[in-house]
Amino acid sequence: MSEHFDVYGGARLEGEVEVVGAKNSVLKLMAAALLAEGTTTITNCPEILDVPLMADVLRSVGCEVDLQGDTVRITTPAELSYRADTPAMGKLRASVCVLGPLVGRLKRAVVALPGGDAIGSRPLDMHQNGLRKLGATTEIAHGCVVAEAEGLHGAQIWLDFPSVGATENILMAAVLAKGTTVIDNAAREPEIVDLCRMLQQMGAQIEGAGTSTLTVHGVDELRPTTHRVVGDRIVGATWGFAAAITRGDVTVRGVDPHHLDLVLEKLRLAGADVTTFDNGFRVVQPDRPKAVDFVTLPYPGFATDLQPFAVALSAISEGTAMITENVYEARFRFIDEMKRLGADARTDGHHAVVRGVERLSSAPVWASDIRAGAGLVLAGLVADGVTEVWDVFHIDRGYPHFVENLNRLGARVERITTSPDRG
Ligand code: UD1
């Protein structure tokens, strides 16, 4: 069976949408449950494909995992397997986050190389260098990261780049190391803060969460906890862009608007009226958006995950926008799909120049990753005719109830299932 979305152009999104926990947090929190024997409960989980995949990864090392609606219960046994090489590992990037906890707890791990979005080169050198500093040996062998240590000890670690995944893996190994670890140039994303909070509730001693220096005082053991996942700022921002692109009026609940300060400022510059409240924000776009430049950077910079939406917005804005991609070089592949929809764009290395056009025109397009897929759907909402978006399994990996939410906001998007013989 193959699935695509038919996206009917001419929509104006209006209404309220609720955002649940962040994909890029819940998967790491699930991995953190490996650090403590007993049952850890995680609430506000998104119903997306990656959560059951991560559950399979945890089961493969010996955990029991129970998924009920928005709650995941993980029971971690005293005896864990150090080998995480189930096929589920290859289907998502976050699977590599079991490396740190397994090395931290067992001093040994064999972890299949992760999969995930094809958005450019995604090496693991910083993860491995961090583990080496903590006293482990590590190599890539037979498609797996292999790591082993007699014991882990605290260390001073400087990251070349504030990598989200490397910060998480090193942090989760360091919480059970002997002595103090300092991670400098650490990632500051809200999802890292969320992980630090959960680890702290489990008994870890971490200072500096949300800053670029994380100090971890190792402890002998951690205890299970109950934790609510932070709201998904990327999904929240997607709805903000959807409002701006369709000249709509959308209220987003369930996300801390401070996690989107820069994004909301960009939407204001594009001409939107943006108001914020405790756990959300409202974007009203009265007129055609104005072109705004975007530069992707680690948090608190403009997230690379939001770059496709910046391109989609620029494609229909008045004026010319320059978009600079500093994190994942292959993300501009999305622009080729946007050109099928009539976008006037060209790329040169890290830069894309997008000249806004009045109208996009529908075409069949292919999602290459989660955010590119969602970006194509938003572009389809303002293209003449019906845009077919293919390979929508990418979107299902990151957006819970995407089609239902779009239709509730006034769009017309249909999920079409085709059997292979009907092509
Ligand atoms: C996470 C997010 C992803 C987001 C990205 C950047 C998850 C599951 N995914 O991915 O949605 O786009 O952060 O915000 O949370 N790098 C190295 N060596 C390493 C590690 C990373 O060179 O050892 C490079 C990468 O190639 C990339 C940059 O560092 O250019 C950022 O990667 P990183 O922050 O690690 O991204 P992920 O954690 O994989």
Short mmCIF file of all heavy atoms in Angstrom, two decimals, residues 54 58 192 199 203 222-223 240 277-278 343 352 359:
data_model
loop_
_atom_site.label_atom_id
_atom_site.label_comp_id
_atom_site.label_asym_id
_atom_site.label_seq_id
_atom_site.Cartn_x
_atom_site.Cartn_y
_atom_site.Cartn_z
N MET A 54 10.85 3.57 18.84
CA MET A 54 11.78 3.68 19.97
C MET A 54 11.43 2.65 21.04
O MET A 54 12.32 2.09 21.68
CB MET A 54 11.72 5.10 20.54
CG MET A 54 12.84 5.43 21.48
SD MET A 54 14.46 5.42 20.64
CE MET A 54 15.51 5.73 22.03
N LEU A 58 13.91 -0.17 22.82
CA LEU A 58 14.08 -0.41 24.26
C LEU A 58 13.74 -1.86 24.61
O LEU A 58 14.40 -2.49 25.44
CB LEU A 58 13.19 0.55 25.07
CG LEU A 58 13.53 2.04 24.93
CD1 LEU A 58 12.66 2.87 25.85
CD2 LEU A 58 15.00 2.31 25.22
N ILE A 192 16.91 19.65 25.31
CA ILE A 192 18.04 19.28 26.18
C ILE A 192 17.68 19.66 27.63
O ILE A 192 17.96 18.91 28.56
CB ILE A 192 19.33 20.05 25.77
CG1 ILE A 192 19.69 19.77 24.31
CG2 ILE A 192 20.47 19.75 26.74
CD1 ILE A 192 20.63 18.65 24.07
N LEU A 199 16.38 13.94 34.10
CA LEU A 199 17.53 13.29 34.75
C LEU A 199 17.68 13.80 36.19
O LEU A 199 17.98 13.02 37.10
CB LEU A 199 18.81 13.55 33.94
CG LEU A 199 18.89 12.86 32.57
CD1 LEU A 199 20.07 13.39 31.77
CD2 LEU A 199 19.01 11.35 32.74
N GLY A 203 17.53 11.88 40.01
CA GLY A 203 18.62 11.92 40.99
C GLY A 203 19.95 12.39 40.43
O GLY A 203 20.95 12.45 41.16
N LEU A 222 20.54 6.01 39.59
CA LEU A 222 19.37 6.88 39.40
C LEU A 222 18.11 6.08 39.69
O LEU A 222 18.14 4.85 39.68
CB LEU A 222 19.34 7.40 37.96
CG LEU A 222 20.52 8.29 37.53
CD1 LEU A 222 20.35 8.72 36.08
CD2 LEU A 222 20.66 9.52 38.41
N ARG A 223 17.03 6.82 39.97
CA ARG A 223 15.75 6.14 40.25
C ARG A 223 14.73 6.52 39.18
O ARG A 223 14.84 7.60 38.58
CB ARG A 223 15.24 6.54 41.64
CG ARG A 223 15.16 8.03 41.82
CD ARG A 223 14.71 8.50 43.18
NE ARG A 223 14.69 9.95 43.20
CZ ARG A 223 15.71 10.72 43.54
NH1 ARG A 223 16.86 10.19 43.92
NH2 ARG A 223 15.61 12.03 43.50
N GLY A 240 2.25 28.12 13.20
CA GLY A 240 2.43 29.57 13.05
C GLY A 240 2.72 29.93 11.60
O GLY A 240 2.13 30.87 11.03
N PHE A 277 0.74 34.04 24.95
CA PHE A 277 0.19 33.87 26.29
C PHE A 277 0.96 32.72 26.94
O PHE A 277 1.91 32.19 26.34
CB PHE A 277 -1.33 33.66 26.25
CG PHE A 277 -1.78 32.68 25.19
CD1 PHE A 277 -1.94 31.34 25.49
CD2 PHE A 277 -2.04 33.11 23.88
CE1 PHE A 277 -2.35 30.44 24.52
CE2 PHE A 277 -2.44 32.21 22.90
CZ PHE A 277 -2.60 30.86 23.22
N ASP A 278 0.54 32.36 28.15
CA ASP A 278 1.28 31.37 28.95
C ASP A 278 1.80 30.16 28.20
O ASP A 278 2.97 29.84 28.24
CB ASP A 278 0.33 30.85 30.05
CG ASP A 278 0.80 31.33 31.39
OD1 ASP A 278 1.68 32.20 31.38
OD2 ASP A 278 0.29 30.83 32.41
N ALA A 343 7.72 27.69 -7.33
CA ALA A 343 8.53 28.66 -6.56
C ALA A 343 9.66 29.17 -7.43
O ALA A 343 10.22 28.43 -8.25
CB ALA A 343 9.07 28.00 -5.30
N ALA A 352 20.08 30.25 -0.24
CA ALA A 352 19.00 30.17 -1.23
C ALA A 352 18.40 31.55 -1.37
O ALA A 352 18.21 32.27 -0.37
CB ALA A 352 17.94 29.18 -0.79
N ARG A 359 1.23 33.34 -6.83
CA ARG A 359 0.51 32.07 -6.65
C ARG A 359 1.43 30.90 -6.96
O ARG A 359 2.24 30.97 -7.90
CB ARG A 359 -0.66 31.96 -7.63
CG ARG A 359 -1.57 33.13 -7.64
CD ARG A 359 -2.50 33.04 -8.84
NE ARG A 359 -3.67 32.25 -8.54
CZ ARG A 359 -4.75 32.77 -7.97
NH1 ARG A 359 -4.78 34.05 -7.66
NH2 ARG A 359 -5.79 32.03 -7.71
#
